[in-house]
Amino acid sequence: MITEPTSKYLSNTVQSIQPSGIRRFFDLASSMENVISLGVGEPDFVTPWNVIEASYHSLEQGYTAYTANAGLFELRKEISRYMKRRFGVSYSAEEEIVVTVGASQAIDIALRAVINPGEEVIVVEPSFVSYAPTVTLAGGVPVPVNTYSEDDFKLQPEQIEAAITDKTKVLMLCSPNNPTGTVLSKGDLERIAEVVEKHDLLVISDEIYAELTYDEPYTSFPAVKNMRDRTILISGFSKAFAMTGWRLGFACGPKPILQAMLKIHQYTMMCAPTMAQHAALEALVNGQKDVVKMKESYRQRRSLVIHALEEMGLSCHVPGGAFYVFPSIEKTGLSSEEFAEQLLMKEQVAVVPGSVFGESGEGHVRCSYATSVQKLEEAMRRIDRFLQTL
Amino acid sequence: MNSTERELLKLIEKNGRLETGTIAKLMGITEDETKQILDKLEKEKVILGYSAIIDWTKGTEEGAVTAMIDVKVTPKRGVGFDKVAERIYRFPEVKAVYLMSGVYDLSVSIEGKTMAEVGRFVSEKLSTIDSVISTTTHFILKKYKHDGLVFSDNDEDKRIVVSP
């Protein structure tokens, strides 16, 4: 891709990682017109108005300077209260919370704070596209553990055991999962926790979709017995409060790790944007009603899409959270890339090939239902028509 | 009213054109159940009608002028404000009538083709009603938001086509 002599200046690490498969598909889809996109990994709502206004207010008041490295103390206190209230886990606002530039940065600094060169990180796949590359960039080795549709894409504890070597240090979890929407129940997490404790692992738990679960009460991993002090919790405002473009996330965890993360954060990022932090504060204090409204709408659309996929004979487990469905397209005989590309070309519907989320994503496509009911219905009609042509 | 009925009402309040099949799929119930609930709510007059919210300023003059009129009235013995309100809301030009607290009694919303037409209604029909003491007419210059809907073109999806 990059030719000599320029490439000699690039680090071996960065040359070893591939650009995101999503990127390639994005380029293809954006070159076309009248596309109905089910490829969007973000809410279709605009950030609630009171939250937007809080950022205006912040600017009007002249808050245009840096905040503390770890984030506005007021915001950290509110995050602490929120974590206690919603998930029953206590974190000290002074020492155990860092406000970051999106949950993505939180994942990056978490990995960089704990990984020594060559140490292994178990990544549960299909997974968010950034996990494995971020592990590599931190000097670690990502070890994929596949999950399968017949288990509803739930990680089985024995799979972790099978993947553990003497270099294994971290288990990365994401529940609800992007792209499968799978939610790990309290029981699932307790079984995973036993293995984690037995093998003395650290867990990075990405809970960015925690507010978007539909069927049963959500259990946060650090709330599981003995797990608080071996978990770095990652979350943020993007999904629950429809704030993807604000780039605001946070990490919570035991003091020594969070203080190490803070070191990286202060030398590389200084702090998250100030006006976005004020907006996030408003979201936590007064935004819960909006979350409930948005969640209700996602739940209805999930039902619509699952129903439509069933009618057209695409098998699909019912995802308990996030806003994705991950149907199997195996019966079409196409690879997920071929399926997504042909669907885009023939019917102008963009879905994301499952293969970009790891080996076990093959045979599936990710469809986001964070799109209007009218567009969803039209997209489902088009997918059905497309299936008839195969 | 149970939570299923409330959920259905919220759905059709936002979009009265949703087909029964779509409502059923959105709510994860059968189409028959959906029809039964709709029938029941219509019978009980919880659902009073299905209307569209139209921006009449676009391309047609019909109903292009809206006025809100503050009306002071003398309540009639025994029937209070209700009888006067009824005389007013029976006029087809009248879109809404509310009994208000504060400095006036009734708030009346009128739609017409022109300001002159609305003016004629106020001077010839409304003000001449016996109990009406005074009227103050406010013409709506521009609609920004009505019944929860924003009157603007700026609502396209600003997200990129494919994102993580």
Side-chain angles (χ1 to χ4, degrees):
Chain A
M1 197 176 41
I2 295 169
T3 52
E4 294 286 352
T6 344
S7 61
K8 73 176 180 192
Y9 298 111
L10 298 177
S11 78
N12 295 337
T13 313
V14 84
Q15 288 196 79
S16 76
I17 56 175
Q18 295 299 313
S20 160
I22 282 200
R23 185 76 228 167
R24 193 189 82 76
F25 210 70
F26 165 72
D27 291 340
L28 190 64
S30 359
S31 65
M32 299 181 61
E33 302 225 327
N34 302 321
V35 172
I36 297 184
S37 180
L38 308 183
V40 192
E42 58 183 316
D44 60 326
F45 296 98
V46 171
T47 308
W49 183 252
N50 59 319
V51 175
I52 295 177
E53 204 157 60
S55 79
Y56 288 172
H57 189 68
S58 164
L59 290 169
E60 277 167 358
Q61 299 287 304
Y63 287 111
T64 57
Y66 297 128
T67 66
N69 293 129
L72 284 170
F73 188 52
E74 273 310 301
L75 176 58
R76 280 181 281 146
K77 274 199 290 195
E78 204 50 52
I79 291 170
S80 171
R81 279 195 280 266
Y82 168 77
M83 287 305 299
K84 180 79 192 149
R85 180 177 75 236
R86 291 285 290 119
F87 308 111
V89 198
S90 296
Y91 291 105
S92 136
E94 285 85 357
E95 296 169 323
E96 295 185 317
I97 297 173
V98 174
V99 177
T100 56
V101 181
S104 297
Q105 194 224 345
I107 293 166
D108 179 37
I109 60 174
L111 286 164
R112 282 199 278 161
V114 300
I115 294 296
N116 291 307
E119 286 179 336
E120 293 176 356
V121 177
I122 295 176
V123 176
V124 184
E125 288 188 350
S127 78
F128 175 51
V129 292
S130 297
Y131 293 158
T134 327
V135 170
T136 308
L137 288 170
V141 179
V143 177
V145 167
N146 294 336
T147 58
Y148 300 99
S149 53
E150 49 268 34
D151 300 326
D152 284 347
F153 293 103
K154 285 190 173 187
L155 173 68
Q156 307 301 315
E158 54 275 22
Q159 290 183 286
I160 312 174
E161 296 226 87
I164 287 173
T165 69
D166 53 3
K167 290 186 182 153
T168 308
K169 189 169 204 176
V170 177
L171 166 67
M172 286 198 70
L173 287 180
C174 178
S175 168
N177 177 280
N178 171 9
T180 64
T182 292
V183 180
L184 297 171
S185 68
K186 188 164 186 261
D188 297 327
L189 295 174
E190 282 169 349
R191 283 189 291 279
I192 291 169
E194 280 174 27
V195 182
V196 166
E197 202 168 8
K198 181 174 156 199
H199 295 276
D200 193 21
L201 301 181
L202 181 73
V203 173
I204 297 180
S205 185
D206 181 353
E207 302 187 6
I208 187 80
Y209 292 99
E211 288 282 5
L212 304 179
T213 61
Y214 309 109
D215 304 319
E216 46 186 276
Y218 182 75
T219 305
S220 177
F221 193 71
V224 175
K225 194 176 164 213
N226 297 339
M227 286 301 111
R228 183 203 176 276
D229 288 335
R230 51 171 77 239
T231 303
I232 307 174
L233 175 115
I234 309 285
S235 193
F237 299 85
S238 292
K239 314 295 180 178
F241 299 99
M243 292 176 71
T244 51
W246 298 75
R247 308 311 305 125
L248 210 70
F250 59 88
C252 306
K255 178 181 164 186
I257 295 179
L258 263 284
Q259 290 308 304
M261 286 168 63
L262 181 59
K263 266 198 258 176
I264 308 172
H265 179 70
Q266 74 191 6
Y267 288 130
T268 53
M269 205 59 72
M270 297 288 242
C271 65
T274 307
M275 64 295 284
Q277 292 192 52
H278 280 118
L281 183 57
E282 170 67 19
L284 283 184
V285 175
N286 293 313
Q288 205 57 35
K289 255 190 353 210
D290 288 292
V291 176
V292 171
K293 255 202 279 184
M294 292 190 271
K295 186 170 134 169
E296 169 85 351
S297 173
Y298 293 134
R299 188 179 56 76
Q300 289 168 344
R301 287 180 274 173
R302 175 186 69 154
S303 164
L304 180 84
V305 170
I306 292 284
H307 204 277
L309 291 172
E310 260 171 28
E311 274 184 348
M312 59 180 97
L314 286 185
S315 72
C316 184
H317 78 289
V318 178
F323 34 60
Y324 309 108
V325 287
F326 203 59
S328 163
I329 48 99
E330 258 170 31
K331 68 164 202 179
T332 65
L334 300 173
S335 72
S336 62
E337 283 238 6
E338 287 164 346
F339 182 94
E341 206 162 320
Q342 288 187 26
L343 177 63
L344 182 64
M345 294 304 177
K346 288 189 189 164
E347 293 287 353
Q348 288 79 51
V349 176
V351 297
V352 183
S355 58
V356 309
F357 305 104
E359 192 189 311
S360 53
E362 186 49 83
H364 296 263
V365 291
R366 188 189 77 176
C367 309
S368 158
Y369 50 84
T371 296
S372 72
V373 169
Q374 287 73 12
K375 281 190 182 164
L376 283 176
E377 286 194 306
E378 177 56 23
M380 292 300 138
R381 270 193 290 274
R382 291 188 192 182
I383 295 176
D384 194 25
R385 203 159 56 203
F386 170 68
L387 291 173
Q388 313 291 331
T389 67
L390 296 176
Chain B
M1 190 179 300
N2 63 36
S3 63
T4 316
E5 290 170 348
R6 258 197 305 274
E7 186 182 344
L8 188 147
L9 287 172
K10 278 191 206 158
L11 275 171
I12 56 169
E13 186 186 29
K14 255 189 267 167
N15 182 359
R17 288 193 66 206
L18 278 180
E19 287 172 24
T20 350
T22 307
I23 298 172
K25 285 177 207 159
L26 283 168
M27 296 180 47
I29 58 178
T30 65
E31 216 170 325
D32 279 350
E33 280 175 90
T34 312
K35 279 186 194 139
Q36 272 171 22
I37 299 174
L38 280 168
D39 283 351
K40 173 177 176 265
L41 293 171
E42 283 169 17
K43 256 190 219 127
E44 290 172 352
K45 298 250 178 202
V46 177
I47 299 171
L48 297 170
Y50 301 85
S51 68
I53 295 173
I54 294 158
D55 186 350
W56 285 109
T57 59
K58 284 185 182 148
T60 170
E61 289 304 304
E62 190 158 346
V65 178
T66 309
M68 311 283 296
I69 307 163
D70 312 339
V71 186
K72 281 190 187 171
V73 301
T74 319
K76 295 267 192 206
R77 185 185 298 271
V79 289
F81 292 102
D82 296 354
K83 214 67 199 164
V84 196
E86 187 182 338
R87 280 194 64 185
I88 296 173
Y89 70 62
R90 293 286 177 200
F91 288 112
E93 303 89 325
V94 173
K95 294 292 169 195
V97 178
Y98 310 107
L99 179 64
M100 308 293 287
S101 64
V103 292
Y104 60 94
D105 306 303
L106 297 172
S107 173
V108 178
S109 167
I110 308 280
E111 275 182 16
K113 285 191 185 119
T114 61
M115 276 170 79
E117 190 180 294
V118 173
R120 263 198 308 279
F121 173 82
V122 175
S123 59
E124 291 170 13
K125 295 179 176 166
L126 188 60
S127 321
T128 53
I129 295 173
D130 238 11
S131 327
V132 170
I133 304 164
S134 73
T135 63
T136 310
T137 304
H138 311 275
F139 284 103
I140 290 177
L141 301 181
K142 185 174 178 181
K143 277 187 191 169
Y144 293 103
K145 192 177 185 182
H146 182 81
D147 260 6
L149 286 179
V150 174
F151 279 52
S152 110
D153 295 319
N154 191 23
D155 59 354
E156 84 271 21
D157 195 339
K158 296 185 178 64
R159 298 174 300 170
I160 54 177
V161 193
V162 176
S163 71

